[in-house]
Amino acid sequence: MCQDMKVWKQVFQELIQELKPWHKWTLTLDKGLLPNVLKPEWAQYQQWVFARFQCSLCSRSWTSAQVQVLFHMHWSERERRGQVKMRVFAQRCRKCFQAPFEAPEFIEENIPRILNNLVLRILKKCYRERFKFKEEIPTIKEISLEGPHDSDNCEACLEGFCAQRELGPGTRPPANPSPPPICSPSIAVAAPVPSPKMSSSTADARTGETRVKKEKVLPSPCSSEPMQAARLPTCWNPRADTRTWVETIVQVPSSDEASLP
């Protein structure tokens, strides 16, 4: 990382001088930098990028897409001078016993992308410039990585600052169960019903009276089908209980009575 730091400083100066040529800015490496632990009037920017590692004991190499790069920046208007402190969190080999933490090796294309995002943050947080803020330039991943993050050998994880969440890939929190449907009481509405037919009647052989019987149809309280109105008898007493049905007696005159004037 010490050799790469020269590249970081050079690229940073090219980017910041293009926008603020009369202002002096410095970029330094600080291994004691901590996320969200800021001095007064300092701002923070952090990004998680892809990088490679190599063990200094066994020469084993591995890659990670959760390499945390942390920046703290400050601009002094009185001194017309700006400072940027940088820390890159390391990882160690999981195969070797008591392996040291190794600094990451970034691919060349990612360094200007990271620093370009940093300069945009400086303009927004230190200079309070208002412009149509562009989205961050995404970093390049050489290969697609799968599987869980090795938190036991990540420096940021061991210090409690890693961005990797406890939920693994493809894991989602359980959804809230849907509440059971609430059935409201149904209210039947009276509807006019045509006069009963003789075919649905029963006649009394002694008195000649015909008794017309009606059936009550009640909708299901929790039925999803539209509620149908209950069939009411021809003669319905509104003062009576709506659940009480009255039998209608139709008097059929005899043949003798029908011949009387």
Side-chain angles (χ1 to χ4, degrees):
M1 187 66 190
C2 294
Q3 295 179 355
D4 295 340
M5 196 62 196
K6 296 180 180 180
V7 179
W8 286 80
K9 290 182 178 181
Q10 180 181 352
V11 176
F12 173 71
Q13 290 299 329
E14 293 175 357
L15 293 174
I16 196 67
Q17 289 299 319
E18 184 179 355
L19 299 174
K20 301 295 179 182
W22 295 281
H23 296 172
K24 183 179 180 180
W25 280 85
T26 59
L27 175 63
T28 58
L29 194 63
D30 187 350
K31 295 184 178 181
L33 219 59
L34 297 177
N36 302 322
V37 182
L38 300 170
K39 297 179 181 179
E41 300 181 356
W42 281 69
Q44 174 179 289
Y45 171 66
Q46 52 187 339
Q47 193 171 359
W48 290 264
V49 298
F50 176 92
R52 291 183 175 274
F53 296 87
Q54 186 173 9
C55 179
S56 58
L57 298 180
C58 67
S59 299
R60 172 181 171 268
S61 62
W62 68 94
T63 57
S64 175
Q66 294 291 336
V67 181
Q68 183 175 357
V69 183
L70 175 65
F71 297 99
H72 285 184
M73 53 255 193
H74 175 261
W75 166 252
S76 176
E77 186 68 29
R78 181 176 58 87
E79 300 178 0
R80 311 291 290 181
R81 181 173 178 268
Q83 303 179 58
V84 178
K85 294 183 178 182
M86 171 183 175
R87 179 183 179 182
V88 180
F89 287 85
Q91 295 185 15
R92 63 188 178 189
C93 180
R94 64 181 179 181
K95 299 293 184 180
C96 297
F97 178 71
Q98 294 183 348
F101 283 101
E102 307 292 349
E105 297 178 2
F106 298 92
I107 60 177
E108 186 177 354
E109 293 82 2
N110 276 343
I111 295 178
R113 290 169 178 261
I114 298 171
L115 293 176
N116 186 81
N117 294 334
L118 169 65
V119 171
L120 291 178
R121 293 286 178 168
I122 290 176
L123 296 177
K124 181 180 180 181
K125 293 187 176 182
C126 297
Y127 289 97
R128 306 295 181 184
E129 293 188 2
R130 295 183 178 180
F131 54 94
K132 292 182 179 180
F133 193 79
K134 299 180 180 179
E135 295 182 357
E136 291 186 355
I137 301 177
T139 56
I140 300 174
K141 295 182 180 179
E142 290 184 329
I143 58 176
S144 178
L145 300 178
E146 296 181 357
H149 178 58
D150 189 7
S151 57
D152 293 335
N153 297 295
C154 173
E155 185 181 25
C157 285
L158 296 176
E159 295 185 9
F161 302 119
C162 189
Q164 184 72 13
R165 298 181 180 178
E166 295 181 359
L167 293 179
T171 304
R172 298 182 180 179
N176 294 331
S178 302
I182 301 176
C183 300
S184 57
S186 301
I187 301 177
V189 181
V193 180
S195 300
K197 297 180 180 179
M198 294 301 296
S199 58
S200 60
S201 306
T202 57
D204 192 328
R206 291 186 308 166
T207 61
E209 297 177 350
T210 303
R211 296 181 179 271
V212 182
K213 296 183 179 180
K214 297 297 179 180
E215 296 179 356
K216 182 179 179 181
V217 181
L218 295 179
S220 175
C222 296
S223 175
S224 59
E225 299 294 332
M227 184 179 64
Q228 299 179 355
R231 294 187 300 171
L232 299 181
T234 305
C235 183
W236 175 61
N237 186 3
R239 296 184 180 180
D241 188 356
T242 56
R243 297 179 180 268
T244 304
W245 299 91
V246 183
E247 294 183 350
T248 303
I249 300 176
V250 180
Q251 182 71 33
V252 180
S254 60
S255 56
D256 296 339
E257 294 177 353
S259 61
L260 293 178

